[in-house]
Amino acid sequence: MKSAVENISQSTTDLFKAEHKESYAAWLQYKNIDDQALVNEYKQWCGTISTLEASVVIESAKKELTLGISSMLGIEPNGSSEPLQSGIVIATKDTFGDLADVDFDQLNDDGYVIKAVTAGDKKQIFLLGKSHSGALYAAFHLLRLMQNRKSLQQLDILENSKNQLRMLNQWDNMDGSIERGYAGNSIFYKDNQFFEELNRIEDYARLLSSVGINGIAINNVNVHKVETDLITSSLLPKVAEVASIFRAYGIKTFLSVNYASTIQIGNLSTADPLDPEVRQWWKNKAEEIYSYIPDFGGFLVKADSEHRPGPFTYGRNHADGANMLAEALQPFDGIVLWRCFVYNCLQDWRDRSTDRARAAYDHFKPLDGEFHENVILQIKNGPMDFQVREGVSPLFGAMENTNQMLEFQVTQEYTGQQRHLCYLVPQWKEVLDFDTYAKGKGSEVKKVVDGSLFQYKYSGITAVSNIGNDYNWTGHTLAQANLYGFGRLTWNPDLSAEIITDEWIGQTFGQDELVKEVVSKMLLKSWSIYEKYTSPLGVGWMVNPHHHYGPNVDGYEYDVWGTYHFADWQGVGVDRTVKTGTGYSSQYFKENADMYEELETCPDELLLFFHHVPYTHKLKSGITVIQHIYNTHFEGVEEAEGLVESWLQLNDKIDQERFNDILNRLQGQANHSKEWRDIINTYFYRKSGIKDEQNRKIY
């Protein structure tokens, strides 16, 4: 019987591949290698692909290796089920026998070994996984080395994933739109149905698996009426078909569910998590879902936030709500991902004691130890909402008896919406390396969410996806680097931003030294550039309401007269101290609480996130706050224009489609940065009445 993947028909995806080859391929370019000496070396190892067992995942590994080798070397590898000749051998611990000296006890479930062995004239590269998925990750690792032109002669690699769950959350709606999507419409849905042609999903699965992603929630956390039907018999067969595509690449499928499904589709009058009928309904529903998808991952839930239904309606708490779902999933080893993005969006924002940043900690910290072991609290990297700069959420490490996972946002909602270049890997590195001091020094966020600090049963990292049906997946071609970098960091948070960047450039654009130098500098500086011409010193927001793009200092939809920055004629910033403010700083462990509480020790980049200060307050640089605002906004524009100049150096080194696409985005960014500069500087000049020391033009 053919697999679902094999039965997928030809479609418009094939046209995309043909017409937009480089843009569509992203980092899986597999360009023909023109270094003949290297080709000859690779051919010694790659003439045959031997698979010692059969599964859809092993077949994906073989398929990818065949595609990559034939494209890069111009040869079609032979297939074999016996490891008797030179070539690549794909196996797991169950079938490898004594083919190579490998200690599988050193590997976790997704770990693998890549080992080159020479015996006489026979040259073999063993791709050995603890599991089938591990063998697939080994195959992608080998192809990554070949794309980056590394020698295969002495390969002896042992790799383990640091995080158990490495996920993406699609915010796709079934009408085909994507909430916070900036790269076209959904590749999953159209007109309240699944696409009939699903072959683009296979290419998406390839991209995700190549960087180690092993889970995906395929619909928006804001579950509307039509998406509620995804857990019904009318749509579960199609969900199962999509799940089969992801399964072939080692990726489990999850669904975002409507907490009030018992009312919406269950003909019950309540969604009270302690009601016996409600609990039984979810148990029956879980059994039905697993009858279609035996390896279903579980539920992602947004409850009691931004008008979504939840247990609060019935006087229950988050543990009550999450545990009810966890009990339904537990017999099938399913898990509940319960989002901690919970706050009262109707509160009085003019009250300076009210602080949205406190909300997640205040809601969840008192419930530590009350959640079932198959519940994971999904916590945004900051306490607000994916800002260009904000403090790390104090909830990380604060609940030693409750599983936690970290949520990033790859889609650039507040960082330029993939119209501006803003490479987020350096930001994510700062979050992962942030020391919580939960168990003293050395208690970094990455150790909380990989489960090692408190020995969580389930943990990991997830993010909001940035892809759509644009031919290059991400709108801005350079935004592909954010998706790649997210996957690599979830696999190993200790990788440096520079290594990840170099990997991506080599695979995406090739090995030209000027290309690597220019693109690397552009990417690694871009977060700083974006921050300079947008929101200063951690103040955040300052964006147009609802669509969150472009400057509007007092315009955020839940903002009332600048209550996210409290700018007046005397000063600016939110006082989150214990002494005189909201007390938010006390939510951190003592070392960080003390640092943020005092002006003298608070890092300048977060000054206005934690303190309300006069415009004449001097930063550690010796520059006043108001002059810093003026300077950085002028610098940001100059540096945004510099991105254009840098890219123009590569005119004859990049294919014209990608070159022109990126150039147009960078030019748009440079122009838009001037709007940011003029609006922000004018606002603060008029508020403060303090002139720019350099007498530059401020309108």
Side-chain angles (χ1 to χ4, degrees), residues 129-140:
K130 186 79 169 277
S131 64
H132 292 180
S133 293
L136 175 61
Y137 299 141
F140 277 116

Side-chain angles (χ1 to χ4, degrees), residues 640-666:
E641 292 174 333
L643 292 173
V644 177
E645 296 305 312
S646 293
W647 185 250
L648 286 170
Q649 297 178 64
L650 308 181
N651 188 17
D652 60 346
K653 294 179 178 294
I654 306 289
D655 60 278
Q656 281 302 297
E657 180 175 79
R658 288 190 295 177
F659 179 83
N660 290 333
D661 281 354
I662 293 168
L663 179 60
N664 288 336
R665 296 276 176 167
L666 294 174

Side-chain angles (χ1 to χ4, degrees), residues 420-636:
H420 293 224
L421 174 60
C422 189
Y423 184 47
L424 294 171
V425 168
Q427 183 195 64
W428 298 335
K429 285 286 295 179
E430 285 193 11
V431 173
L432 289 162
D433 291 340
F434 178 79
D435 198 338
T436 68
Y437 290 93
K439 293 180 73 174
K441 187 174 176 58
S443 303
E444 294 90 353
V445 168
K446 61 189 175 186
K447 294 177 184 174
V448 175
V449 300
D450 71 11
S452 63
L453 195 66
F454 296 121
Q455 301 303 307
Y456 292 149
K457 181 173 182 179
Y458 296 107
S459 59
I461 306 176
T462 190
V464 185
S465 170
N466 69 336
I467 70 107
N469 68 356
D470 281 1
Y471 59 82
N472 65 353
W473 298 95
T474 57
H476 198 315
T477 300
L478 294 181
Q480 293 175 359
N482 280 328
L483 182 58
Y484 179 88
F486 169 75
R488 295 292 284 136
L489 276 182
T490 64
W491 181 271
N492 182 4
D494 294 324
L495 288 172
S496 71
E498 291 76 13
I499 287 174
I500 292 170
T501 306
D502 187 64
E503 284 181 358
W504 179 79
I505 296 168
Q507 293 171 87
T508 304
F509 293 119
Q511 302 303 309
D512 184 278
E513 288 303 320
L514 181 62
V515 172
K516 294 173 78 170
E517 178 185 353
V518 168
V519 177
S520 179
K521 287 180 179 177
M522 289 173 63
L523 288 171
L524 292 170
K525 290 177 62 179
S526 60
W527 174 38
S528 171
I529 294 170
Y530 186 84
E531 182 177 24
K532 282 182 178 181
Y533 64 74
T534 55
S535 300
L537 301 171
V539 73
W541 307 103
M542 293 189 177
V543 291
N544 283 308
H546 307 301
H547 64 280
H548 301 169
Y549 183 79
N552 189 330
V553 185
D554 291 334
Y556 187 66
E557 57 257 47
Y558 300 140
D559 201 354
V560 181
W561 304 320
T563 52
Y564 277 118
H565 54 73
F566 289 114
D568 56 25
W569 68 275
Q570 293 178 307
V572 60
V574 181
D575 186 350
R576 292 191 163 102
T577 66
V578 174
K579 290 193 295 288
T580 56
T582 69
Y584 165 79
S585 63
S586 68
Q587 293 184 340
Y588 292 90
F589 289 92
K590 184 179 187 308
E591 292 84 350
N592 289 322
D594 290 348
M595 174 180 65
Y596 292 136
E597 178 74 12
E598 302 299 329
L599 270 174
E600 293 74 22
T601 54
C602 182
D604 279 346
E605 64 267 20
L606 288 171
L607 179 70
L608 302 185
F609 188 85
F610 283 98
H611 295 274
H612 186 85
V613 299
Y615 293 109
T616 54
H617 172 82
K618 286 193 174 181
L619 302 173
K620 294 174 178 62
S621 64
I623 297 172
T624 63
V625 166
I626 188 64
Q627 194 59 42
H628 173 88
I629 292 172
Y630 296 153
N631 289 349
T632 53
H633 283 79
F634 280 106
E635 289 168 8

Side-chain angles (χ1 to χ4, degrees), residues 28 30 49 62-72 76-77 143 206:
L28 299 180
Y30 302 143
I49 301 174
K62 180 182 177 182
K63 182 177 175 182
E64 197 71 27
L65 286 166
T66 300
L67 172 62
I69 290 167
S70 60
S71 297
M72 287 188 282
E76 188 77 20
L143 290 166
R206 292 174 53 232

Side-chain angles (χ1 to χ4, degrees), residues 4-152:
V5 172
E6 291 172 321
N7 277 318
I8 293 170
S9 63
Q10 296 291 303
S11 75
T12 54
T13 299
D14 298 301
L15 297 176
F16 270 42
K17 289 181 178 181
E19 294 178 13
H20 310 285
K21 185 177 179 182
E22 288 84 3
S23 297
Y24 184 88
W27 55 86
L28 299 180
Q29 296 284 324
Y30 302 143
K31 287 286 191 180
N32 182 262
I33 299 173
D34 56 10
D35 181 338
Q36 193 57 49
L38 193 61
V39 169
N40 292 339
E41 178 195 328
Y42 285 174
K43 283 182 176 180
Q44 296 178 55
W45 301 97
C46 299
T48 300
I49 301 174
S50 300
T51 52
L52 304 193
E53 55 195 291
S55 75
V56 292
V57 177
I58 296 295
E59 182 59 30
S60 294
K62 180 182 177 182
K63 182 177 175 182
E64 197 71 27
L65 286 166
T66 300
L67 172 62
I69 290 167
S70 60
S71 297
M72 287 188 282
L73 305 183
I75 63 171
E76 188 77 20
N78 297 317
S80 174
S81 59
E82 298 290 336
L84 302 178
Q85 52 196 312
S86 292
I88 298 169
V89 179
I90 308 172
T92 68
K93 72 181 185 73
D94 295 327
T95 55
F96 88 107
D98 58 356
L99 295 172
D101 181 19
V102 176
D103 181 5
F104 282 94
D105 290 337
Q106 296 182 67
L107 299 178
N108 62 23
D109 287 346
D110 287 334
Y112 58 84
V113 166
I114 303 176
K115 197 174 185 69
V117 177
T118 301
D121 293 333
K122 186 162 69 172
K123 292 179 176 289
Q124 294 176 303
I125 293 177
F126 293 95
L127 306 179
L128 307 174
K130 186 79 169 277
S131 64
H132 292 180
S133 293
L136 175 61
Y137 299 141
F140 277 116
H141 190 147
L142 178 63
L143 290 166
R144 181 163 64 243
L145 294 173
M146 293 175 68
Q147 285 209 88
N148 280 301
R149 310 302 190 249
K150 304 297 184 183
S151 175
L152 308 182

Side-chain angles (χ1 to χ4, degrees), residues 199-359:
N199 51 346
R200 185 160 185 177
I201 295 174
E202 182 183 7
D203 286 327
Y204 187 36
R206 292 174 53 232
L207 289 172
L208 299 187
S209 186
S210 74
V211 291
I213 299 296
N214 67 354
I216 187 167
I218 64 171
N219 63 302
N220 191 357
V221 293
N222 293 310
V223 185
H224 309 104
K225 187 177 186 302
V226 64
E227 289 87 25
T228 303
D229 287 340
L230 284 168
I231 58 172
T232 68
S233 58
S234 63
L235 289 175
L236 276 170
K238 206 69 177 180
V239 176
E241 188 176 350
V242 170
S244 71
I245 297 171
F246 283 116
R247 182 183 301 116
Y249 288 88
I251 301 168
K252 280 193 174 185
T253 299
F254 293 70
L255 288 172
S256 299
V257 294
N258 181 345
Y259 187 83
S261 293
T262 51
I263 299 171
Q264 290 266 333
I265 59 175
N267 297 317
L268 298 181
S269 61
T270 181
D272 182 351
L274 301 189
D275 185 290
E277 284 190 282
V278 171
R279 299 170 81 88
Q280 189 59 50
W281 187 90
W282 278 107
K283 289 178 181 178
N284 294 342
K285 180 54 63 178
E287 185 174 2
E288 180 184 9
I289 293 169
Y290 280 93
S291 71
Y292 286 92
I293 312 166
D295 60 347
F296 180 66
F299 298 143
L300 172 62
V301 186
K302 177 178 178 178
D304 286 311
S305 186
E306 298 182 326
H307 311 294
R308 300 309 303 160
F312 287 4
T313 302
Y314 309 96
R316 315 304 185 191
N317 63 34
H318 290 286
D320 295 327
N323 291 344
M324 178 263 295
L325 296 173
E327 288 175 4
L329 294 172
Q330 192 277 327
F332 310 98
D333 295 324
I335 58 178
V336 175
L337 311 173
W338 192 270
R339 294 182 88 235
C340 294
F341 185 58
V342 176
Y343 69 101
N344 180 7
C345 62
L346 301 178
Q347 61 195 331
D348 185 358
W349 300 94
R350 291 165 293 187
D351 181 353
R352 292 202 181 198
S353 66
T354 298
D355 189 357
R356 171 172 165 178
R358 292 185 57 104

Side-chain angles (χ1 to χ4, degrees), residues 130-199:
K130 186 79 169 277
S131 64
H132 292 180
S133 293
L136 175 61
Y137 299 141
F140 277 116
H141 190 147
L142 178 63
L143 290 166
R144 181 163 64 243
L145 294 173
M146 293 175 68
Q147 285 209 88
N148 280 301
R149 310 302 190 249
K150 304 297 184 183
S151 175
L152 308 182
Q153 297 287 357
Q154 305 295 326
L155 287 180
D156 191 0
I157 297 169
L158 187 150
E159 278 268 339
N160 281 313
S161 59
K162 293 288 183 70
N163 288 288
Q164 177 188 29
L165 285 169
R166 308 176 299 278
M167 286 189 60
L168 281 172
N169 295 172
Q170 299 295 135
W171 280 9
D172 297 42
N173 303 311
M174 289 194 67
D175 65 3
S177 65
I178 304 174
E179 183 175 343
R180 310 310 177 201
Y182 310 111
N185 291 324
S186 175
I187 67 169
F188 294 90
Y189 313 109
K190 183 180 180 181
D191 298 331
N192 295 327
Q193 296 291 331
F194 280 90
F195 270 115
E196 285 302 312
E197 301 169 341
L198 298 177
N199 51 346

